[in-house]
Structure formats: structure tokens, C-alpha cells
Amino acid sequence: MEEYHVIVVGGGHAALSAALSARRAGRRVLVLERAPQHMRGGNSRHTRNVRCAHDRADPYLTGEYGEDEFLEDLRKVGGGQVNVDLARFAISESRTLPPWMTEHGATWQRALSGTLSLGRTNRFFLGGGKALLNAYYDTCRRLGVEVRYEAGVEDIVVEGRRAEAVVLRRGGSRELVRGKAVVVAAGGFEANLGWLKRYWGAAADNFVVRGTPYNDGTVLAALLEKGAAQVGDPKGFHAIAVDARAPKYDGGIATRLDSIPFGIVVNQAGARFSDEGEDLWPKRYASWGARVAAQPGQIAYSIFDAKAIGCFLPPLYKPFQADSIAALAALLQIDPGALVSTVDAYNRATAGNTAFRADALDGLCTRGLGLPKSNWARPIDRPPFCASPLRPGVTFTYMGVGVDETARLVDRHGRPFANLYAAGEIMSGNILASGYLAGFGMTIGGVFGRLAGREAATHAAH
Ligand SMILES: Cc1cc2nc3c(=O)[nH]c(=O)nc-3n(C[C@H](O)[C@H](O)[C@H](O)COP(=O)(O)OP(=O)(O)OC[C@H]3O[C@@H](n4cnc5c(N)ncnc54)[C@H](O)[C@@H]3O)c2cc1C
């Protein structure tokens, strides 16, 4: 049986940050990535940016973003029980992430404006997460980190809170690999619809998984079964509305739909169910996954007219189009009478609304509707009438394993495991038990990946 100093389970941002950090400390490092080489990099390869604290504008960020403001932003979105010390640590360490990432191959996109309005707080990777991960894999190769692909870890042999070996399946055979320390960075369980069904019932069959099919929570389940502390809301996930025609797995960012604030959203019965104009889109888009998940059949339709085209990012899939609302309803297999009556009522409630502004809360609200639309409420009256079908698109899950301030796994009584560390999505519930702050997933992966790699390397030296 081979022996490594540090074994890293997973092949995304958190895993490679750990591997690079352990390797820089002089250790013999093995990365076990379940995906084949062309699918490597987990959900990290779909990302575009990382949130980091900084004191001033630079070519990549449009202004200052201090640690206090960062923490305040986190407080506003977060819920549940979080470890505030770990959150503060993540935020303070985020300052040093960009230079560290640059040193290991990251290149950056100059600040641009766009629908997500993140130019001040988040740095964007040039070429997106895929380019970042490719650069990291290249750096791993140059520094001598060993990477095995199609190496799915099935279990970790733990005796007395010490990881003795990692059990992996490659092809048809099972292997044991030994390491002095193990870092788990195998993501959440968002790709495991069977597991999601425990909390969501049959509705989970209609969910779309935006990221890698490999994050099925096998390692998370094994660790929980071995007594690791459980953190984060088990039912909770980050989910947005994606086009219902998106692939079941791995559609990435391109399947998102941004038309919602510029029209109405109806369910299969042709009825509205939520305020489409509640707030600026960057603050609200992540709430639509759960809203659609709560509708019959987990399907909804974003309905808009010719006036809205050009107000949002063009969708990947062509919307259904018709010259009348009744004809559009027929295409969507919604009762035409029901949809016509919903649109008529909405149009009456928006009569006279003209001072429309796409880029700000314009205050154009409906009047007299039981369910209001608070902004951007213009009548849907100019053909062609369009509809995009929506499904809940799951980005990641919140439940994970508890860690201490050195990224060491802890058990249900708070006692640390001797040589077992966790980084990234699998432990993000320590800091974000629910809610989300754009770009913070990559911050957590980078900060705790580096920390876990460093700590595992120190442990392995003894
Ligand atoms: C479409 C999309 C866009 C996103 N955009 C952003 C963004 O711009 N900024 C941001 O901060 N966050 C973003 N996120 C969230 C972000 O992807 C995650 O927070 C982050 O990538 C988590 O990193 P990770 O390394 O923990 O997990 P991952 O990158 O998902 O890596 C997990 C790895 O573990 C491997 N693995 C799984 N099971 C096993 C096993 N049993 N054995 C061995 N290996 C295994 C997987 O193959 C994968 O390589 C986005 C997510 C999606 C889906």
C-alpha cells in the first residue's frame, strides 16, 4: 500500500488550494478526483468570481470593500447557527487570496459592468473557473502534485478519530491508499437527487443540477456516519430559476434566466405566485429556485412582451413566442382563459405606468392586485408575447461537516479528528448555514483549502 503525506479528496478549487499549499510546504501530495480529466474541477469550473476584502480600487475592482462591510453583507444574507470566528477568519484571509491565486496561475478580468453588479466586491477570473482550474492543475503538475482521475473515494477508514486510509474505486477495483493526513474537499450532495428527495419528496425529480454530477455526497455521508458533526440546514440549498430545457446536470451559468423582473411569472394553472419586482435582480435571483420548487410540478413560466427584449441577458434557449396571450398559453399547455385573465388583471393594475428604468428600482408598481409587483410593472401588451419555462436549478447544498479553527474535522461532541481536515463546500455550512453571498463559495474554498493544506502538511511532518 502506497503512503503519501497528504491525500486530498476532490478536484475543485478547495481541493487544489489544499494540494498546492501542502505541496509548497514540501509534502508528498496525492489528489483523488472522481471525475475523468475532461470533467475535472467540480462546480468550481463553472464559477466566474471570488469575493475578497480590499482597501482600494485597482484594475480589477472598482472600489474599496472593507472587512466590516463584508461581514455585514454576510450577516444580512446568512441565517441559522454559524461560527462567527470562522466567518471573520474567512473574510480577513480573503485579502490575501488574490495574490496567492495569481502566484498559482490565476489571471484576472478587468472590472466590467454587468447584470450582477459585483465589480466592486468580486474579482472575476479571466476565462472563468475553467481557466482558473486548468491553471491550478498545471501548477500542480509543475510542482509535483500527483493527480489521479476517475478515482472516486467511497470511504475513509477511521479508527479512534484518526484517518487510517482512503478507500477508492478506480474502474472495477477497490484500493486502499494511506496518507499521514487527509483533506476532504469533495463538495456538497447537490447532485444526489435521491438524497434531496428525503427533504423535498418527489419534487426533487424535477430539479435541475447546475453543476457537476460527481458531487453526490458519498464522502459527506461516510464522514457523518463516522460521527463527524453535522452543520448547515439539511433541506437548504442555493437554487435559482433555470430554463426548464437545461440539461439535467452541469448546464453551468448559461441556463440562468434573467427575464423575471421584466414580466410576470405564472404556474401551470396560469396564476402568478410571487412578486416579480421585489428588489434588484442580483439580490433576488437566488430566491426563485425555491419559489418554483414550491409550485405544482415544479414548473413555472416567465411571460414577457416585445418591450422587455433587450432589458436582460439574452437567454440560451429561444423563448416560446406567439401573437396573442391565448396562443402563447396553448403553446405552454396552460388553460388559455386562465392566462388571459391573469395578464388582463395585471395589465389593468399597471395602467399608466411609463417611467420605466431597467437598471434601478423604478417604483413602477401594480395597483389593486392581491399579489403586487413592486417595480418594473409595465403592461404586457406588445406582441410578440414570449415565455420561457422555468425549473429550480440547484447550485449547492448547505449541509456539511463541522470543523475547528484549523480546518480539522470535529465530531458531534466538538472533539477534533487527529489528521482529517475539510475545505470548501463540504464545510461551508460552518459559515453559511443558509442564504448566500455571491462569490463567497470560492472565498471559502480558497481560504480553507489553503489552511487545510498547510495544517495537514504540518501534521504530516511529525
Ligand atoms: C453554475 C455555478 C456557478 C457558480 N458561480 C460561482 C461564482 O462565480 N463564485 C463563487 O464563489 N461560487 C460560485 N458557485 C459556487 C461554487 O462553485 C462553489 O462554492 C465552489 O466551487 C465549491 O468548491 P469546492 O472545491 O468545495 O467544490 P467543487 O468545485 O464542486 O469540487 C468538488 C470536487 O470533488 C470531486 N468529488 C466529489 N465526490 C468525490 C468522491 N467521492 N471522490 C473523489 N472526488 C469527489 C468532484 O469531482 C469535484 O472535483 C457556482 C456554482 C455553480 C454550480
Side-chain angles (χ1 to χ4, degrees):
M1 214 164 21
E2 292 160 285
E3 172 134 4
Y4 293 86
H5 291 125
V6 178
I7 298 177
V8 180
V9 181
H13 183 232
L16 295 195
S17 301
L20 287 166
S21 146
R23 183 66 191 145
R24 295 293 294 266
R27 302 293 169 263
R28 187 170 175 223
V29 181
L30 173 68
V31 169
L32 298 172
E33 160 63 303
R34 183 175 171 192
Q37 185 165 353
H38 68 281
M39 297 276 283
R40 70 187 181 188
N43 288 349
S44 301
R45 74 202 208 289
H46 288 302
T47 64
R48 291 183 295 169
N49 56 69
V50 58
R51 184 173 291 248
C52 45
H54 48 272
D55 293 329
R56 61 190 67 82
D58 64 24
Y60 310 106
L61 294 158
T62 58
E64 179 196 355
Y65 187 51
E67 291 181 33
D68 290 343
E69 187 184 352
F70 196 151
L71 190 62
E72 193 44 37
D73 284 346
L74 187 60
R75 283 218 176 93
K76 277 190 229 148
V77 299
Q81 261 211 315
V82 295
N83 183 328
V84 178
D85 291 339
L86 286 186
R88 282 187 196 281
F89 175 76
I91 289 172
S92 109
E93 283 285 295
S94 73
R95 284 181 177 280
T96 60
L97 259 191
W100 191 89
M101 293 173 74
T102 306
E103 201 186 325
H104 293 91
T107 50
W108 305 94
Q109 166 79 55
R110 283 180 177 269
L112 298 169
S113 62
T115 55
L116 287 179
S117 322
L118 295 169
R120 182 171 68 87
T121 55
N122 292 25
R123 270 190 177 231
F124 281 70
F125 321 125
L126 189 64
K130 180 112 183 169
L132 173 72
L133 270 286
N134 283 344
Y136 273 20
Y137 273 102
D138 200 41
T139 308
C140 280
R141 186 186 50 74
R142 276 193 296 105
L143 295 183
V145 172
E146 197 179 317
V147 179
R148 290 196 206 161
Y149 297 106
E150 299 181 56
V153 170
E154 289 191 336
D155 200 4
I156 295 175
V157 181
V158 175
E159 278 164 27
R161 293 207 309 281
R162 168 175 293 279
E164 295 295 337
V166 167
V167 183
L168 78 116
R169 180 164 293 281
R170 276 185 106 196
S173 59
R174 251 171 139 231
E175 271 175 55
L176 275 190
V177 191
R178 277 190 193 280
K180 291 188 169 172
V182 176
V183 178
V184 287
F189 66 98
E190 58 277 346
N192 189 334
L193 295 176
W195 195 340
L196 286 172
K197 256 179 156 164
R198 287 188 219 160
Y199 315 111
W200 290 89
D205 285 331
N206 290 321
F207 295 170
V208 168
V209 178
R210 300 177 68 210
T212 178
Y214 296 102
N215 287 359
D216 69 356
T218 300
V219 181
L220 171 61
L223 294 173
L224 292 175
E225 199 248 320
K226 285 174 172 56
Q230 179 181 315
V231 297
D233 175 8
K235 187 181 177 182
F237 55 42
H238 177 280
I240 66 166
V242 296
D243 196 296
R245 295 162 290 184
K248 190 74 174 170
Y249 295 93
D250 239 357
I253 54 173
T255 63
R256 192 183 80 199
L257 271 171
D258 290 347
S259 53
I260 289 173
F262 304 112
I264 58 170
V265 177
V266 299
N267 59 19
Q268 228 163 6
R272 290 177 59 236
F273 53 87
S274 218
D275 182 348
E276 302 88 348
E278 210 175 17
D279 204 340
L280 290 172
W281 191 229
K283 296 195 180 160
R284 279 288 148 233
Y285 78 96
S287 58
W288 278 88
R291 294 182 199 193
V292 176
Q295 295 309 303
Q298 295 66 54
I299 184 100
Y301 301 90
S302 166
I303 311 277
F304 52 93
D305 70 358
K307 297 194 297 300
I309 296 169
C311 294
F312 55 89
L313 274 180
L316 179 63
Y317 298 93
K318 198 170 169 355
F320 292 94
Q321 280 194 9
D323 288 335
S324 70
I325 294 293
L328 187 66
L331 287 178
L332 306 176
Q333 297 181 320
I334 295 178
D335 171 21
L339 187 59
V340 167
S341 131
T342 297
V343 173
D344 283 350
Y346 168 77
N347 284 351
R348 281 195 300 277
T350 60
N353 283 358
T354 50
F356 170 80
R357 275 194 61 188
D359 60 342
L361 290 173
D362 65 1
L364 277 195
C365 58
T366 53
R367 287 169 298 279
L369 283 184
L371 172 63
K373 180 177 177 190
S374 305
N375 290 283
W376 310 292
R378 288 191 295 179
I380 297 174
D381 56 5
R382 188 182 304 162
F385 300 104
C386 307
S388 291
L390 308 172
R391 288 251 182 237
V394 183
T395 320
F396 57 81
T397 42
Y398 290 113
M399 184 173 66
V401 289
V403 295
D404 68 9
E405 68 287 354
T406 62
R408 252 187 326 178
L409 213 69
V410 294
D411 73 5
R412 290 185 202 113
H413 308 288
R415 295 172 303 190
F417 286 76
N419 60 346
L420 199 43
Y421 302 81
E425 209 63 73
I426 198 166
M427 50 65 70
S428 66
N430 290 273
I431 300 171
L432 263 178
S434 62
Y436 188 57
L437 200 53
F440 200 42
M442 291 297 271
T443 313
I444 292 173
V447 167
F448 288 95
R450 279 192 312 186
L451 174 68
R454 202 163 60 228
E455 292 290 329
T458 304
H459 179 91
H462 298 124

